[in-house]
């Protein structure tokens, strides 16, 4: 009995020691954020990218329908996205204060202001840098949650709690430290929704690595919207008026 107790004690001590060694070797939050910034191109390159225009295609209904897609972002927090099919263009835009949309595919051809809940996703889309860069200045809180499997990749998982209460679970590739998945939890019209975004095919634009493949949809939904970027342009002059609610709209 005594020998079995000694063996059990030694085994427990070895397991605890191994766990301590793993924790000791685990990267810190600051190290992961720093590596993410460097992987994107570095702080100077990120600050130097003041606007970004992405052109490509949007695939919906499991790729059966293809729309022409254009998204324009401009610092400090403006974004406009257009999806065009058969002469009709859907528009969603945010000027840093309010969001609006034109939804011709739902029979609405006049611009409409968006609710505070609906505009949350646009506010995140407006970020050129992503959720980790300058997270303190954004008044977010960030925690490192260890690693988790993402389609066969043991990714670093970070939890970003935003100022507005939204939560992003950011998964970083363990080798390149770029985002490969972002799971967003937010309250929308009184109910919690989870949106999963997979990112890949990064390309260097003006010294900053930008994902050229973006697949988004409700968590667990097999029919996700996929955006494939064909062309990206950085620091092209952009008129702020394109982000604002059209003044000629019928009120």
């Amino acid at each position: 009995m005594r020998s079995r107790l000694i063996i059990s004690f030694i085994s427990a001590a070895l397991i605890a020691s191994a766990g301590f060694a793993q924790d000791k070797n685990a990267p810190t939050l600051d190290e992961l954020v720093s590596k993410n910034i460097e992987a994107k191109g570095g702080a100077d390159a990120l600050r130097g990218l003041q606007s970004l225009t992405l052109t490509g295609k949007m695939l919906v209904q499991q790729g059966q329908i293809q729309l022409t897609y254009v998204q324009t972002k401009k610092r400090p927090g403006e974004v406009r996205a257009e999806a065009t099919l058969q002469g009709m263009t859907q528009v969603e835009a945010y000027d840093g204060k309010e969001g609006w949309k034109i939804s011709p595919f739902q029979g609405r051809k006049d611009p409409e202001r968006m609710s505070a809940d609906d505009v949350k996703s646009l506010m995140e889309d407006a970020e050129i840098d992503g959720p980790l860069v300058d997270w303190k200045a954004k008044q977010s809180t960030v925690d490192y949650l260890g690693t988790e499997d993402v389609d066969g990749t043991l990714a670093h998982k970070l939890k970003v709690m935003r100022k507005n209460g939204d939560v992003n679970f950011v998964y970083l590739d363990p080798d390149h430290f770029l985002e490969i998945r972002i799971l967003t939890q937010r309250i929308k019209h009184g109910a919690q929704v989870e949106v999963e975004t997979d990112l890949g095919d990064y390309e260097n634009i003006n010294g900053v690595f930008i994902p050229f493949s973006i697949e988004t949809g409700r968590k667990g939904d097999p029919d996700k919207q996929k955006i494939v970027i064909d062309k990206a342009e950085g620091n092209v002059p952009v008129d702020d008026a394109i982000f604002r609610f059209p003044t000629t709209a019928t009120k």
Side-chain angles (χ1 to χ4, degrees):
M1 173 66 77
R2 179 179 175 82
S3 62
R4 286 202 298 270
L5 287 173
I6 292 173
I7 292 171
S8 297
F9 176 78
I10 293 173
S11 298
L14 288 172
I15 292 171
S17 176
F20 176 77
Q22 288 177 352
D23 290 341
K24 189 175 181 180
N25 293 329
T28 66
L29 171 63
D30 289 342
E31 287 172 342
L32 286 171
V33 172
S34 178
K35 288 182 177 181
N36 176 248
I37 292 171
E38 289 305 311
K40 288 174 180 289
D44 290 342
L46 285 166
R47 282 192 292 267
L49 188 59
Q50 292 295 305
S51 70
L52 180 66
T53 299
L54 305 173
T55 305
K57 50 185 172 286
M58 176 189 289
L59 305 174
V60 297
Q61 294 189 10
Q62 298 182 339
Q64 296 181 48
I65 298 177
Q66 178 176 309
L67 300 87
T68 300
Y69 180 80
V70 180
Q71 184 191 65
T72 301
K73 304 182 183 186
K74 184 178 180 181
R75 294 188 190 276
E78 298 173 300
V79 65
R80 178 186 175 112
E82 300 180 0
T84 302
L85 178 67
Q86 296 179 351
M88 294 189 295
T89 300
Q90 174 179 295
V91 179
E92 291 187 347
Y94 176 68
D95 65 359
K97 296 179 180 179
E98 66 174 355
W100 57 276
K101 62 183 178 179
I102 300 174
S103 308
F105 303 118
Q106 284 77 48
R108 300 185 180 96
K109 296 184 179 181
D110 291 328
E112 304 171 290
R113 287 183 169 84
M114 299 172 70
S115 70
D117 281 351
D118 289 333
V119 84
K120 286 180 178 180
S121 60
L122 283 180
M123 293 171 68
E124 292 186 17
D125 287 345
E127 294 177 341
I128 293 176
D129 307 322
L132 295 178
V133 178
D134 293 331
W135 61 270
K136 292 180 182 178
K138 297 172 185 174
Q139 300 182 49
S140 300
T141 59
V142 182
D143 295 300
Y144 176 46
L145 304 182
T147 56
E148 186 173 310
D149 181 80
V150 176
D151 297 334
T153 297
L154 197 61
H156 294 289
K157 182 179 181 181
L158 297 94
K159 179 182 179 182
V160 181
M161 175 71 78
R162 292 181 177 267
K163 181 182 177 181
N164 65 3
D166 288 1
V167 178
N168 300 128
F169 292 98
V170 181
Y171 297 86
L172 301 180
D173 180 271
D175 298 317
H176 305 291
F177 299 97
L178 291 167
E179 293 93 338
I180 57 174
R181 174 172 291 172
I182 299 177
L183 175 64
T184 300
Q185 295 177 342
R186 64 168 55 98
I187 301 299
K188 188 172 181 179
H189 306 305
Q192 178 173 287
V193 297
E194 289 187 308
V195 178
E196 193 172 73
T197 301
D198 288 339
L199 308 163
D201 297 338
Y202 281 81
E203 297 285 347
N204 189 325
I205 305 299
N206 288 50
V208 176
F209 282 89
I210 303 296
F212 271 42
S213 174
I214 306 158
E215 193 167 351
T216 303
R218 295 287 182 97
K219 184 180 179 182
D221 188 347
D223 185 16
K224 294 184 178 179
Q225 166 189 292
K226 185 171 184 178
I227 295 171
V228 179
I229 303 303
D230 299 318
K231 180 182 178 183
E233 298 175 284
N235 293 333
V236 174
V238 179
D239 188 345
D240 287 336
I242 70 169
F243 306 108
R244 301 189 194 115
F245 189 83
T247 56
T248 57
T250 302
K251 297 183 180 179

